[in-house]
Every structure is written in C-alpha cells, then in structure tokens.
Amino acid sequence: MAERSPRLKDVAELANVSLSAASRILRGDDGRFGEETCRRVREASQKLGWRRNLLVSGMQTGKTSTIGVMIPPYDSFWVSVLTGIHAKCAEADYLPITVWLGDLDHMPLFDAPEEEGLRLINRMLDRRVEGFILWPPFGMAYSHHFPELRDHTVPVVMIDHHTDEPISDTVATNEEHATRLVARHLIDLRHKRIGFVSSPEAPSKTWAVERQNHFARAIESLSGGRLVVARVGPEGTDELVVVKKLLSGPDRPTAVFAATDHEAASVYRAAAELGLRVPNDLSVVGFADLDFASSMSPALTTVRQRPREIGARAATLLLERITKQASEGPYLDARVEADLVLRDSTAPAPDTLR
Amino acid sequence: MAERSPRLKDVAELANVSLSAASRILRGDDGRFGEETCRRVREASQKLGWRRNLLVSGMQTGKTSTIGVMIPPYDSFWVSVLTGIHAKCAEADYLPITVWLGDLDHMPLFDAPEEEGLRLINRMLDRRVEGFILWPPFGMAYSHHFPELRDHTVPVVMIDHHTDEPISDTVATNEEHATRLVARHLIDLRHKRIGFVSSPEAPSKTWAVERQNHFARAIESLSGGRLVVARVGPEGTDELVVVKKLLSGPDRPTAVFAATDHEAASVYRAAAELGLRVPNDLSVVGFADLDFASSMSPALTTVRQRPREIGARAATLLLERITKQASEGPYLDARVEADLVLRDSTAPAPDTLR
DNA sequence: CTGAAAGCGCTTACAG
DNA sequence: CTGAAAGCGCTTACAG
C-alpha cells in the first residue's frame, strides 16, 4: 500500500548519471549528451515508470500545461465546442480544466454573482493555469479583470463575444456569410416579408445583435426588402407572446429566421397555437443545428455551425499566445464558416402559390 | 507587465513575523499564536492579495484539492451529474478536472483505445489529483488499474456501474424502487403484456441489466405476469428493426418500458411506422426524464432520476475517502431515489376498453 | 559531455 | 508563543 512513485533521483541512480543530467535528458534537452547516456536514462525512466511531477516543474517553470475553460455544457453546440477544445489540448499534451457556474436550467439567463465567478477564476489561477477560454456571459462578466490577467501574462480567448474595443482574441462564426446564405435561400423561395426572432436581450449576446444586423443587411442588399424584427425583450419577457404577436396580423411575415434553434422551437410552438402550418404557411430557419433540430417536425432547416472547429481554433489560438509568448500581437478575430442545411421547414412563400 | 504575484515572504515581512509563522497562521494552524499576531498576518496577506501557490503546497502535502472526473456531457442526465459534482466540489473548495474521450456522436458505443484513456488518467495523476469519479464505460475499461490507484491511495467512485465483486464505491439510482413504480403504474392501467426495450448490449451497461431484472421481478410479484423483452443485440444491431419486431404480431405488448428516454424515442418511431398510436394503442414509459422528454409528442411518462443528487453524492463519497483517509472501510453502494412523472404517453390497456 | 550547487515557494519537524 | 533550518522534487545557471 501507499507505494511511492519513483523519483528522478531513482532514475538517475539506475542510469548512473547525475540528477541534472537525467533532468535535462528527460526534458528533451539532450543535445550535448552522449547517445549512449541518453538511451540509458530513458530506459531507466521507462523501467521505473517514472513520471514528471507536474506540480514541481510547473512551480519552477510556470508551465503547468493546463488551461482554464469557463464554458458550461449548455447545449449540443457548447458540448461540441468543448470537445474541440479537449481534442486540441490533448494533441498538445495540455489539460483543460472546465468549470462553470450555476444550474443548467437557468443557464441562458446567466447572472451568477460576480464573486462566485472570481472564486472560480482564482481556484484555477492558484493552480497556475496558463490561459483561459471563456463563454460569452463569463467573458462579459469578468472582462474588467482582463488587464490584471494580462499583467500576469495569462492570455484569454473569448468565443462568440465582441466588444467595441477588442480586449482579447475571439473566435466566432462568420455571421456575415452565414446569414447571407439564409437570406439568399428565403429570397429564392420568393419570401418578401421576412421576420427575425431573437432570444431575450442580454448584454453578453453580441452574437445575436451581429446576426440580426448582418441578416438585415443581406436581405436589403439582395432584395431591397426590410426585416420585420421581433427581438424578445429583457429577461422575463414571455417569448411565446412576442413571437405570436409577430406572426399575427395581415402583414405577418411568411418566413422567420430564428437566432438559434432554441428560438426556432418557440416559433414552431407559436405557429401551432396560431394554426399556421410549417412550412406551408410559414417558413422557419434556425441557427446552430443543435441535436434536436433534425428530429423536430418538420425537420428544421438551419445553419450548421462548426462548433468543434470553433473550439479547436480557440485552443490553438490560446496555445499560440502561451507558447510563442505572442502576447504582444494585436487581438485576432478568428471566424469559422457555417453551412445551410436544407430540411423541411422552408417552402416557397404562400403568396406565390395563390 | 508581468507583475509578480506576492510571495509568502512578502507577507511575513509586512507582518513582521517569520516565514514559518506566516505559513502556519495562514493555513489555520494558529492555535498557539497570539491573537494580535494572527490579525497582523491575515491583514498583511489581504493587503498584498497573497494567494497560496497550490502547486507548491500540493507537492509537499499531497493535497492538491483537485479531483479527476471522467464523464462526458453525453446528455442532460450526465450534464446534471457533472453539475452536482461541480457544486459539491465548490463547497469543499475542490476543483474537478473533467475529461472525456472521443466524439459525442459516438458516445454511447464508446470503445476508445485503452491507451488513450490511460494517457488521460496519467495527465491527471501527473497533476496529483486526489481521486477519480468515473463514467461506467471508463470504469469498465480501466478497472484493472484500480488496484494500482489504490496503492497510490487515489480513491475511485463509479457512477451507475457494478461488478460482481465490488472494486470501488458506487453511486446509482435505486433501480428496484424506481422500476417498481413503473410496474405498478402499468399494472394499474391493466396492462398484461408488457415489454422492455433496452439499448444495445455493452459490458459497461450493468445498469441496464439491473433495470431489466428488477422490472421483471416487479411485474412478476405484482401481477404474476411475464415480461416480453427486446434487448437490442450487440453494437451495430438496428434498434428500430428489433423494436418493430417486438411490437408486431397478435401478442404484441400493449405497454413498453424503455431502458432510457433515448430508447423511448425509438419506440415512438417504431410505433409510428407500424401505425400504432401512443398512448391509445401502446403505452410507453421512459427512464431518466432527459431534457427532450417533456417536449416529445405525446409528452413522455418517465422516471425522473436525480442526477444532481447522484453527482453530489459521488463527490461527497469521494471527498470523504480522501479527507478522512477512510480508504479502509468496505466499498459503499449509495442509492439515490427517483420518481415517476406521469405525462401523456401512458393510458389504460386497449383490451380493457373493448 | 557532465556534475555540484543554488534555488523555486512553500511546509514542517525541531529547538528554544 | 515564535523562528532558523532542512526539505519537498525537481530545474537551471554555472563551472569544469
């Protein structure tokens, strides 16, 4: 019981070299050592099953090969982002520590006390994480601590979050291109009155604003048309009521683009309650291609983002900042493409059938 | 830039005490120090914003306040389990490091190369995690390494996994009670021919076997009836085909209990293809109450597990093993209750209406 | 090509 | 009640 794991000293002794030689050789800094010596040391290490104590080397070199990831597994999009981060980190032999605050049930309307979040950040800094990847609401909530992190040369990458003045590297979907695909599709189907439904407003949802603006511009430039917007108000607003209002009246839109698949589901519900059939009376397009999108009925036409790629890019960016000490360059705004997936929720505008 | 964080030495100097005094007082080992001294030290620490370098103290004491969690955020059940673990760890000022292998798309049929899993375990051991919480397939895959972990006094808790000979503490749902609730419900509805559908067989799915056995026994003891079982064969078997076969023929069951909500969704699909209406022709009960269960149509009657509680219990158990060095006692098999949630997928047996 | 020595930032007997 | 000293398991100038 309580078997001690082998020490570097043990390896050195077995290989008949000094501690420092063993240390250097096993770190790969073996340029100036005899081939034979290197072999002996490596064999001894293998044989004893020695593993570097990362706490020690981390303390001395600052390199813990660990990063902090504040992203909740909120839906399949974010789970895939996490998977991308994990995969990329594994390649680089880094370990991501993923933490989040609060309950999934209340996730989208996140506003945990800032204090708690700082406690989490500190818990990770105490373990000397070398950088952070943040979910928009966290990025938002803690952005005023970024300068402090930077002073400690702990870089930060945010996903899907932009501020007027850039304060970190960011990775996001190419909203301009993605929304243009949607606009083109709906216009090809001869829709003229097109609506946009977004989730409750929150300061962290800069992606929603961006999505709406780009979409509006695309509609305008492609058809000269104007968007009918239903931005669900501040938290607590009843989404269904707002959407039903948008879909009522003689000038109701014949097609609706939802900010995400979650809102698309609300649109389905509102349509059902109003007796509107999708897609015959109303075309619906979502965004994200979440796990449930293809099993909605009718199956949802939506923009398939590439969350794994987004996660991988974020990790890559962060690791570059960390390893190359490229902490100096200007902040980057990486964009990942997305594709339109045509399913059964879009059809030619009803007007054109009359 | 690159501001150095304060050292304990700085605190000691500011408070005018020795390094060792400062160290002890700030660890809470202040019994023998003057009140005034303690106050001075704590104030100095506060003022400088000193934080203990956990790498250093971890290296010396073995206490890193970190545990390893190998659980993928596979569905809302596991996400909630994770949330429970995180919450409990936060309370105890522990940090869980969550890692997993492979892609979510292929999660349920997990069989990643063992090597990769060991790499992950080692990455965590290199950072001196004090214990592990494992998802069944991982627990299964790496169980032969448990003795080694035990030798290093790294306790393990498994969720939803049992072996003939217990090899670790476990936390699971009280299957006996939960399945009895289902049996009672269906029998109250006068169902006589009751089926059970389980996911593809895999050695790690001891919970599925347990669920089936307990359910069969409950049916028998409550009604003297016999279960019609459709155990979906080994990986690769087409679930839909198997379920349709179960639901065909003159003696088809009038009610089906699915091993999880995922399988319940398959039963819905099979029923639709066979022209059977749920619940009029066929009652369906799921297990887990996953996020999509209430929005299935009809809304699924299912057993609501308590994943947050399961996660919290697992964390509590692990922390007890860690802190009390209770590594000696016999392995525990903690059971968490579950409740039947009645929705719209169950109705009286059709026979009784004739 | 290799080793003895100092040091990383703490903790902990031990001595007063 | 408090401090000087040794030590945790490594890394890294520095010296040969």
Side-chain angles (χ1 to χ4, degrees):
Chain A
M1 269 233 58
E3 207 172 277
R4 264 171 62 96
S5 44
R7 299 290 130 88
L8 184 55
K9 205 180 82 175
D10 305 324
V11 176
E13 274 165 13
L14 183 61
N16 234 300
V17 294
S18 73
L19 237 189
S20 29
S23 171
R24 263 176 329 227
I25 288 170
L26 290 171
R27 310 209 99 217
D29 177 17
D30 55 3
R32 344 191 275 269
F33 288 90
E35 213 174 282
E36 160 65 10
T37 317
C38 293
R39 210 185 37 69
R40 267 200 344 265
V41 170
R42 273 192 266 276
E43 273 179 18
S45 160
Q46 275 268 304
K47 187 163 168 215
L48 296 178
W50 178 79
R51 309 214 98 233
R52 185 185 321 287
N53 183 332
L54 278 189
L55 299 181
V56 176
S57 59
M59 162 192 134
Q60 304 205 104
T61 65
K63 283 208 59 56
T64 52
S65 298
T66 309
I67 64 168
V69 179
M70 294 186 82
I71 295 178
Y74 168 52
D75 58 21
S76 64
F77 173 82
W78 289 105
V79 167
S80 293
V81 168
L82 285 171
T83 300
I85 293 173
H86 278 240
K88 187 54 88 181
C89 283
E91 275 176 33
D93 205 32
Y94 264 70
L95 193 68
I97 299 185
T98 306
V99 300
W100 66 87
L101 279 176
D103 220 318
L104 277 211
D105 308 341
H106 310 98
M107 214 75 293
L109 305 178
F110 162 87
D111 67 339
E114 175 174 336
E115 232 182 278
E116 255 195 83
L118 289 183
R119 250 205 304 274
L120 271 185
I121 292 190
N122 277 328
R123 266 223 266 295
M124 293 193 280
L125 286 175
D126 290 348
R127 288 156 180 88
R128 298 297 183 268
V129 296
E130 300 182 50
F132 285 103
I133 300 180
L134 301 183
W135 191 52
F138 294 137
M140 181 79 211
Y142 311 128
S143 59
H144 53 288
H145 294 286
F146 286 9
E148 200 184 324
L149 289 176
R150 217 173 305 122
D151 287 346
H152 293 280
T153 58
V154 177
V156 171
V157 173
M158 278 193 294
I159 294 181
D160 258 357
H161 186 67
H162 295 86
T163 45
D164 295 339
E165 197 67 23
I167 53 171
S168 76
D169 294 317
T170 54
V171 181
T173 292
N174 183 340
E175 298 286 344
E176 183 166 5
H177 184 241
T179 54
R180 206 177 173 83
L181 293 174
V182 177
R184 154 97 40 227
H185 175 56
L186 292 178
I187 287 167
D188 283 351
L189 292 172
R190 318 220 180 232
H191 288 280
K192 301 223 152 34
R193 294 190 307 282
I194 298 174
F196 180 85
V197 171
S198 89
S199 50
E201 290 175 21
S204 68
K205 295 196 168 165
T206 57
W207 53 266
V209 176
E210 217 191 318
R211 196 162 295 166
Q212 175 179 330
N213 291 343
H214 278 301
F215 185 60
R217 254 174 261 144
I219 291 286
E220 204 176 324
S221 81
L222 289 173
S223 76
R226 258 261 157 71
L227 210 55
V228 193
V229 171
R231 189 105 210 266
V232 178
E235 285 183 29
T237 312
D238 188 336
E239 193 164 310
L240 212 54
V241 171
V242 177
V243 176
K244 275 161 80 173
K245 192 166 163 206
L246 174 78
L247 296 182
S248 304
D251 271 357
R252 69 163 183 84
T254 59
V256 167
F257 175 34
T260 79
D261 294 349
H262 294 295
E263 283 78 41
S266 296
V267 174
Y268 272 40
R269 230 168 291 132
E273 292 190 13
L274 293 170
L276 294 172
R277 291 159 308 162
V278 176
N280 309 292
D281 304 318
L282 181 70
S283 286
V284 180
V285 180
F287 204 101
D289 196 26
L290 298 178
D291 49 6
F292 58 79
S294 61
S295 52
M296 286 167 75
S297 64
L300 183 68
T301 291
T302 188
V303 174
R304 174 176 296 157
Q305 292 183 89
R306 300 181 193 168
R308 286 199 52 143
E309 193 178 330
I310 290 176
R313 284 285 281 280
T316 305
L317 248 173
L318 187 65
L319 293 179
E320 281 174 6
R321 289 286 187 203
I322 288 172
T323 57
K324 296 192 187 160
Q325 297 296 56
S327 48
E328 303 308 322
Y331 293 126
L332 299 175
D333 175 21
R335 293 288 173 163
V336 173
E337 293 306 319
D339 312 281
L340 184 62
V341 181
L342 298 181
R343 287 201 274 249
D344 310 325
S345 65
T346 45
D351 322 26
T352 66
L353 297 174
R354 275 187 216 144
Chain B
M1 274 234 54
E3 208 173 275
R4 262 170 65 96
S5 44
R7 300 288 130 87
L8 185 56
K9 202 179 85 174
D10 306 324
V11 175
E13 274 165 13
L14 183 60
N16 233 299
V17 294
S18 74
L19 237 190
S20 29
S23 172
R24 262 175 331 226
I25 288 170
L26 290 171
R27 310 209 99 217
D29 177 16
D30 54 2
R32 344 190 278 267
F33 288 91
E35 212 176 282
E36 160 66 11
T37 317
C38 293
R39 208 185 38 68
R40 266 198 348 262
V41 171
R42 273 192 265 275
E43 272 179 20
S45 161
Q46 274 268 303
K47 188 165 168 210
L48 296 179
W50 178 79
R51 308 214 99 232
R52 183 185 324 283
N53 184 331
L54 278 189
L55 300 181
V56 177
S57 59
M59 162 192 134
Q60 305 206 101
T61 65
K63 282 209 58 56
T64 51
S65 297
T66 309
I67 64 169
V69 179
M70 295 187 80
I71 295 179
Y74 167 54
D75 58 21
S76 62
F77 173 82
W78 289 104
V79 167
S80 292
V81 168
L82 285 170
T83 300
I85 294 173
H86 277 241
K88 188 54 85 180
C89 283
E91 274 177 33
D93 206 31
Y94 264 70
L95 192 68
I97 300 185
T98 307
V99 301
W100 66 88
L101 278 176
D103 220 317
L104 278 213
D105 308 341
H106 310 98
M107 218 65 309
L109 305 179
F110 162 86
D111 68 339
E114 175 174 336
E115 233 182 277
E116 256 195 81
L118 289 183
R119 249 206 303 275
L120 272 184
I121 292 190
N122 277 329
R123 267 224 265 294
M124 294 193 279
L125 286 175
D126 289 347
R127 287 155 180 90
R128 297 297 182 268
V129 295
E130 300 181 50
F132 285 102
I133 299 179
L134 301 183
W135 191 54
F138 293 137
M140 180 78 212
Y142 311 128
S143 58
H144 52 289
H145 294 285
F146 286 10
E148 199 184 325
L149 289 175
R150 217 172 306 123
D151 286 347
H152 293 280
T153 58
V154 178
V156 171
V157 173
M158 279 195 293
I159 294 181
D160 258 358
H161 187 66
H162 296 87
T163 45
D164 294 339
E165 196 68 22
I167 54 172
S168 76
D169 293 317
T170 53
V171 181
T173 292
N174 184 339
E175 299 285 344
E176 182 166 6
H177 183 242
T179 54
R180 204 174 173 86
L181 293 175
V182 177
R184 154 96 39 225
H185 175 56
L186 293 177
I187 287 167
D188 284 350
L189 292 171
R190 321 220 179 230
H191 288 280
K192 302 224 155 28
R193 293 191 307 282
I194 298 174
F196 180 84
V197 171
S198 88
S199 50
E201 289 174 20
S204 68
K205 294 194 169 165
T206 56
W207 53 266
V209 176
E210 218 190 317
R211 195 162 297 166
Q212 176 180 329
N213 291 344
H214 279 301
F215 185 60
R217 254 174 260 145
I219 291 287
E220 204 176 325
S221 80
L222 289 173
S223 75
R226 259 261 158 72
L227 210 55
V228 193
V229 171
R231 191 106 208 267
V232 179
E235 285 183 29
T237 313
D238 189 335
E239 192 163 312
L240 212 53
V241 171
V242 177
V243 176
K244 275 159 79 173
K245 192 165 163 207
L246 174 78
L247 297 182
S248 304
D251 271 355
R252 69 163 183 85
T254 59
V256 167
F257 176 33
T260 79
D261 295 349
H262 295 296
E263 283 79 41
S266 296
V267 174
Y268 272 40
R269 230 169 292 131
E273 292 189 13
L274 293 171
L276 294 172
R277 290 159 309 159
V278 176
N280 308 293
D281 303 319
L282 181 72
S283 286
V284 181
V285 180
F287 204 102
D289 195 26
L290 298 178
D291 49 7
F292 59 79
S294 62
S295 52
M296 286 168 74
S297 64
L300 183 68
T301 291
T302 187
V303 174
R304 174 177 296 158
Q305 291 182 92
R306 300 182 193 167
R308 286 199 52 143
E309 194 177 330
I310 290 175
R313 284 286 280 283
T316 304
L317 248 173
L318 187 65
L319 293 179
E320 281 174 6
R321 289 284 187 204
I322 288 171
T323 57
K324 297 192 186 158
Q325 296 295 58
S327 47
E328 302 308 321
Y331 293 126
L332 299 174
D333 175 22
R335 292 288 174 165
V336 174
E337 293 307 318
D339 311 280
L340 183 62
V341 181
L342 297 180
R343 288 200 276 248
D344 310 326
S345 64
T346 45
D351 321 28
T352 67
L353 298 173
R354 274 187 216 143

